[in-house]
Amino acid sequence: MSFSGMVKEELSRQIGLARHCQIAELAALLCGCGRLENTSDGLRLKIQTENESVARKCFTLLKKTFNIETVVTEKENSHMKRLKVFCINIADPEEIKVVLEATKLIADHKCRDTLVLDNMLVVQQNCCKRAFIRGAFLSSGSISDPQKGYHFEIVYPEERKALQLQTIIHSFCVDAKIVQRKKSYVVYVKEGAQIVDMLAVMEANVALMNLENIRILKEMRNSVNRKVNCETANINKTVNAAVKQMEDIKLIQQKMGFEQLSDGLAQVAQLRMQYPEATLKELGMMLSPQVGKSGVNHRLRKLSTLADELREKQGGELL
């Protein structure tokens, strides 16, 4: 099962204790996968989803909240035969009226008679907002595998629904954004810590802990990699500097000899030739009298300048 599927499975088992929270979550579920249909037998409220746990959640909420007895039917997906579609139908006009009035939903005739919140009364309390976001994710949301990346999204066919959901999510200080993808509107969160906050808001505590464990391991690996890369770069820099110093000193020895150097420069040159892998601090400790890193570095720079002058002179003689 995917990480997104595990989150939905966990959320599908949670039922709010308060009736107003149950109504808020049912409202979100109906916004995502419900619609009103005019049939030859009259108006029908239809809930359709490819997720069995979501269908089970709708069935439970209708029973607990409105005492409406329904049946979950199963059929093949018309586009992908290997997938199943789960449907719940409410045909009683009175039951439809009760559900729509309680959830404050109306039909959006511009978008295939899907359902949209007429007002925000069902999400006045924080607990109801949590329940609504939970229902929205169950019906229309997904979350990427945190091993590969961080992405949380809830997709709606209408901008109005996306804006309503964004407002609710913003109330929990989560910076959800909206982007249009073809004919749909996607409410999304990209940053790992904010996705953790979203799981906390929806009360997906098991998924939250799993995500946090993955984030900690990834951050530890990244930290180790940064340190290794930094140390490798420092080693390469030190090795390259030492190689250049050896080349400069060998050139000076060949062209003019150490006897023409000052005592300080000659001493450093001889020590570098003798100990090519020694650090500046170690070279300084070997000098008599001892010299600090900056002093050793200063002398090596003087040797480098002298070697460059010899190279320029040699190049001029060749010309």
Side-chain angles (χ1 to χ4, degrees):
M1 183 183 292
S2 66
F3 185 77
S4 188
M6 288 188 288
V7 175
K8 289 191 175 186
E9 184 63 31
E10 179 182 356
L11 294 178
S12 69
R13 295 193 296 269
Q14 292 190 30
I15 304 294
L17 298 177
R19 186 173 185 273
H20 49 79
C21 292
Q22 295 170 8
I23 290 173
E25 186 166 0
L26 184 59
L29 287 164
L30 291 174
C31 277
C33 53
R35 71 174 59 188
L36 286 175
E37 291 186 346
N38 282 304
T39 68
S40 57
D41 298 326
L43 194 64
R44 180 172 61 178
L45 176 58
K46 183 177 182 180
I47 303 169
Q48 182 171 298
T49 176
E50 295 176 357
N51 191 312
E52 184 178 3
S53 61
V54 174
R56 189 170 62 245
K57 184 71 171 282
C58 292
F59 174 89
T60 303
L61 288 173
L62 287 168
K63 174 64 177 175
K64 290 180 69 70
T65 311
F66 301 107
N67 198 29
I68 295 176
E69 294 287 351
T70 57
V71 176
V72 179
T73 58
E74 180 182 324
K75 64 179 183 179
E76 285 187 344
N77 189 313
S78 58
H79 300 291
M80 299 181 69
K81 299 297 183 181
R82 63 186 180 84
L83 294 178
K84 300 293 183 181
V85 175
F86 302 91
C87 299
I88 297 174
N89 291 290
I90 302 175
D92 187 316
E94 285 301 317
E95 290 179 344
I96 295 174
K97 181 181 178 181
V98 167
V99 171
L100 295 182
E101 286 182 351
T103 56
K104 308 303 179 190
L105 294 173
I106 58 173
D108 187 348
H109 300 299
K110 294 180 181 179
C111 191
R112 304 184 301 277
D113 288 328
T114 58
L115 297 169
V116 63
L117 281 177
D118 186 33
N119 58 60
M120 307 292 278
L121 287 176
V122 295
V123 287
Q124 290 300 299
Q125 301 183 61
N126 274 345
C127 57
C128 295
K129 291 176 182 177
R130 292 176 184 274
F132 188 90
I133 296 171
R134 184 163 60 240
F137 179 78
L138 277 170
S139 63
S140 309
S142 64
I143 182 171
S144 64
D145 183 350
Q147 295 281 10
K148 300 176 181 178
Y150 302 121
H151 184 79
F152 174 102
E153 70 176 34
I154 297 173
V155 183
Y156 283 129
E158 308 88 9
E159 186 178 17
R160 180 179 175 183
K161 289 182 185 179
L163 290 170
Q164 288 175 338
L165 179 62
Q166 183 188 43
T167 299
I168 295 169
I169 294 175
H170 281 175
S171 69
F172 292 99
C173 299
V174 175
D175 186 24
K177 294 181 173 62
I178 296 176
V179 65
Q180 188 171 1
R181 185 188 297 160
K182 295 182 180 179
K183 295 182 179 180
S184 299
Y185 294 86
V186 182
V187 183
Y188 71 94
V189 178
K190 293 287 288 185
E191 205 272 317
Q194 297 238 308
I195 293 176
V196 169
D197 292 340
M198 286 302 300
L199 292 175
V201 167
M202 297 188 298
E203 299 176 316
N205 298 321
V206 175
L208 186 153
M209 293 303 298
N210 290 336
L211 177 57
E212 281 287 51
N213 288 337
I214 292 170
R215 287 183 69 229
I216 290 169
L217 288 173
K218 287 176 74 172
E219 287 175 6
M220 287 177 62
R221 282 197 295 267
N222 291 339
S223 177
V224 170
N225 288 337
R226 283 194 297 270
K227 289 179 180 178
V228 169
N229 291 338
C230 183
E231 289 175 2
T232 301
N234 288 337
I235 290 171
N236 290 336
K237 185 178 177 181
T238 301
V239 169
N240 292 335
V243 170
K244 176 66 166 54
Q245 291 162 8
M246 292 289 291
E247 291 174 352
D248 292 341
I249 292 169
K250 286 178 181 177
L251 179 64
I252 292 170
Q253 187 178 33
Q254 291 170 1
K255 296 298 181 182
M256 56 183 292
F258 292 158
E259 59 273 5
Q260 295 189 44
L261 299 175
S262 66
D263 290 343
L265 292 181
Q267 197 176 5
V268 167
Q270 290 168 346
L271 284 172
R272 174 51 85 197
M273 291 286 287
Q274 189 175 354
Y275 303 101
E277 297 180 359
T279 64
L280 297 182
K281 183 177 180 181
E282 290 169 344
L283 289 175
M285 296 291 289
M286 297 177 195
L287 291 170
S288 181
Q290 292 182 353
V291 177
K293 286 173 59 177
S294 60
V296 174
N297 190 44
H298 178 70
R299 294 183 187 183
L300 288 170
R301 281 204 304 270
K302 278 191 172 183
L303 290 170
S304 178
T305 301
L306 180 57
D308 289 340
E309 290 173 355
L310 290 172
R311 290 188 184 96
E312 289 179 6
K313 184 178 179 182
Q314 184 178 5
E317 289 175 353
L318 290 174
L319 291 174

